[in-house]
Amino acid sequence: MTPLAEKLVHRIENFGPITIADYMAACLGDPEFGYYTTREPFGSAGDFVTAPEVSQMFGELIGLWAVETWRRMGSPAAFVLAEIGPGRGTLMADALRAAKVAPDFEKAATIVLVETSPRLRAIQADTLAGHAIDWIEHIDALPEGPAIVVANELFDALPVRQFLRTADGWAERMVGVSEGRLAFGLRGNAHFDGADDRAPEGSLVETASISAAIMATLAARLQHSGGAFLTIDYGHAESGYGDTLQALRSHAFDDPLAHPGEADLTVHVDFAALSRTAEANGARASAIWTQGDFLLALGLLERAGRLGAGKDAATQDAIRAAVERLAGPAAMGSLFKVLCVTGGNLVAPPFG
């Protein structure tokens, strides 16, 4: 067993089974053995590659999106430019480089990274050397004023709880111990918001209270102070996809209970639920786009053409491969979705 598995077995044997949400939180954030606190997950040497690591074009297009959104906000002389879960800082670095097309943009921006990991903060500081950066741990600490907020692959790493409809009613899926090892089990007589007693036996529902709370907070803030929140993630445009918990280790799927602390745990994001939460808190939610459609609408092909102009064949082939990976329907293009939430009457590009 991994060190975290031993720690969790001891905890469960002494205090009882834990929810899927508590298990995810421990696996990803345990201060001693958590995945994000102890490992370098990003890139070919890690366990997965995010869009900003695929190509600079991704972050550059986000930067140009932010500039146009700022202009549609009236080009405020002071605003907050924030990223939640910024990884190694690659997206923000590429975005700020592209944003130089509008020199007053960065002058007006208070750049904030929402990051809890001291290890990642140090990497981000190196990546973003030369830029004035503020770090905070929670979105509640974002400075006042209009804001443009970006999150790439944030919600898929936030804990969910799982509820299964059985012959005896709803039961919560738990992580317990069987024969000295971690094992899934059920705790009956479960109650949760939105439970549908007409659901057929075998139905599994995931609830994401932390994701909903983040969206509610940002939506209310944007409605009050103005601005936009752009979120891009692995997930579905409609609710109701059952068990989506999965583990990734060395770029391959893994048993979610096999290597706690040494594998990334994710869930598919319910974009429809996020959209409903945003609108319930007074903000405007865009239609849900695929990442491919979003990047192509922002000018991915044109950017790729300029980037490859005059380059050798190998470089041009690499750029074409990156475009396919980012926007192709068999790669990230369809699997990842995009949602934009805005305050007031603001409509951010390319959503209208």
Side-chain angles (χ1 to χ4, degrees):
M1 290 192 292
T2 67
L4 182 57
E6 294 179 358
K7 184 176 181 178
L8 289 172
V9 166
H10 178 76
R11 170 183 170 181
I12 291 167
E13 287 178 338
N14 283 276
F15 301 103
I18 60 176
T19 67
I20 299 294
D22 287 341
Y23 177 72
M24 289 185 68
C27 287
L28 299 179
D30 182 86
E32 288 183 293
F33 306 118
Y35 181 76
Y36 283 108
T37 53
T38 62
R39 297 172 66 87
E40 176 54 67
F42 308 106
S44 58
D47 295 304
F48 57 87
V49 177
T50 62
E53 310 287 343
V54 171
S55 170
Q56 69 186 67
M57 294 182 290
F58 182 83
E60 289 170 347
L61 291 174
I62 298 299
L64 296 176
W65 170 87
V67 168
E68 178 58 25
T69 299
W70 172 69
R71 287 171 174 161
R72 294 190 184 191
M73 292 163 58
S75 302
F79 77 104
V80 176
L81 177 63
E83 184 180 359
I84 310 173
R88 294 195 288 211
T90 305
L91 188 158
M92 183 61 78
D94 291 339
L96 290 173
R97 184 176 60 255
K100 289 179 180 179
V101 297
D104 290 339
F105 176 85
E106 187 169 351
K107 292 179 183 177
T110 296
I111 305 170
V112 179
L113 301 182
V114 185
E115 178 60 69
T116 59
S117 168
R119 183 184 62 82
L120 286 175
R121 285 190 183 194
I123 295 172
Q124 292 154 14
D126 185 59
T127 302
L128 291 159
H131 299 281
I133 307 294
D134 293 331
W135 281 268
I136 60 175
E137 292 195 358
H138 306 288
I139 59 170
D140 292 341
L142 283 170
E144 293 295 324
I148 296 174
V149 183
V150 176
N152 181 62
E153 295 200 45
L154 166 71
F155 289 109
D156 69 341
L158 297 181
V160 301
R161 295 173 70 180
Q162 293 185 333
F163 298 90
L164 180 69
R165 182 69 175 173
T166 71
D168 299 320
W170 287 103
E172 182 164 11
R173 198 176 186 211
M174 309 289 288
V175 176
V177 173
S178 176
E179 298 181 352
R181 305 190 73 84
L182 297 172
F184 289 118
L186 294 174
R187 182 168 63 191
N189 196 29
H191 303 278
F192 61 98
D193 290 340
D196 183 0
D197 291 336
R198 298 168 298 177
E201 185 176 341
S203 300
L204 190 142
V205 174
E206 293 180 340
T207 64
S209 60
I210 295 177
S211 296
I214 290 173
M215 180 58 81
T217 298
L218 288 172
R221 182 237 166 79
L222 294 173
Q223 181 58 20
H224 176 266
S225 302
F229 171 45
L230 182 73
T231 180
I232 305 171
D233 226 315
Y234 186 87
H236 301 293
E238 299 176 354
S239 299
Y241 277 81
D243 178 14
T244 71
L245 178 67
Q246 61 187 27
L248 280 174
R249 187 168 183 255
S250 299
H251 301 273
F253 289 110
D254 195 26
D255 181 336
L257 298 182
H259 300 98
E262 296 180 1
D264 182 36
L265 288 185
T266 66
V267 292
H268 296 194
V269 177
D270 184 343
F271 277 87
L274 290 177
S275 179
R276 292 192 297 269
T277 298
E279 294 191 335
N281 285 273
R284 175 196 296 241
S286 73
I288 299 166
W289 289 42
T290 66
Q291 177 174 294
D293 287 344
F294 175 70
L295 293 177
L296 291 171
L298 290 181
L300 175 62
L301 295 181
E302 293 80 1
R303 177 59 186 142
R306 288 193 296 272
L307 197 61
K311 301 296 195 304
D312 57 66
T315 300
Q316 292 180 346
D317 286 344
I319 293 170
R320 280 192 289 269
V323 168
E324 182 61 29
R325 186 164 184 183
L326 290 172
M332 290 180 168
S334 294
L335 296 174
F336 282 71
K337 307 297 187 298
V338 182
L339 175 67
C340 185
V341 173
T342 56
N345 295 320
L346 175 66
V347 178
F351 305 100

